Amino acid sequence: MTDAVGSIDMPDADDEAPESKKKARKGGKRGKKGPLGRLALFYRQIVAELRKVVWPTRSQLTTYTTVVIVFVVVMIGLVTVLDTGFARVTKYVFG
């Protein structure tokens, strides 16, 4: 079975390095950093992820906002009608 990179059964030569060449790490990247270093790493990762976001254009944002407001108004109307109907039924049943 193959994928875009190569065969799954036969990994790339770079992927398999002899164990003698690899260094064993105890804590990974976080093992050598203090709390402030970890906080800085976390902040850098947040900024990196936000740069990947595809932000909507002004027209898309206006469209999305309008759709949400119209949906909320329709739902408010539906709940109001149901609430009024249930209130009248309850008043009729219990007097």
Side-chain angles (χ1 to χ4, degrees):
M1 183 176 274
T2 62
D3 58 1
V5 176
S7 174
I8 294 176
D9 298 328
M10 301 288 292
D12 296 337
D14 294 339
D15 291 344
E16 286 188 23
E19 292 298 320
S20 60
K21 290 184 180 179
K22 288 185 179 180
K23 286 186 178 179
R25 287 193 226 168
K26 274 192 173 179
K29 286 184 178 179
R30 288 188 249 168
K32 297 178 183 173
K33 294 183 180 181
L36 291 179
R38 288 190 300 235
L39 187 62
L41 174 66
F42 180 67
Y43 178 73
R44 283 194 306 269
Q45 289 173 344
I46 289 174
V47 171
E49 286 298 322
L50 284 175
R51 285 187 179 149
K52 294 178 188 177
V53 173
V54 178
W55 297 98
T57 63
R58 183 175 287 273
S59 64
Q60 289 173 332
L61 191 62
T62 304
T63 303
Y64 298 156
T65 303
T66 304
V67 167
V68 168
I69 289 173
V70 167
F71 177 76
V72 168
V73 167
V74 167
M75 292 308 294
I76 287 173
L78 180 67
V79 169
T80 301
V81 167
L82 289 174
D83 184 51
T84 304
F86 287 135
R88 287 187 180 176
V89 167
T90 303
K91 196 171 194 179
Y92 177 76
V93 170
F94 295 109

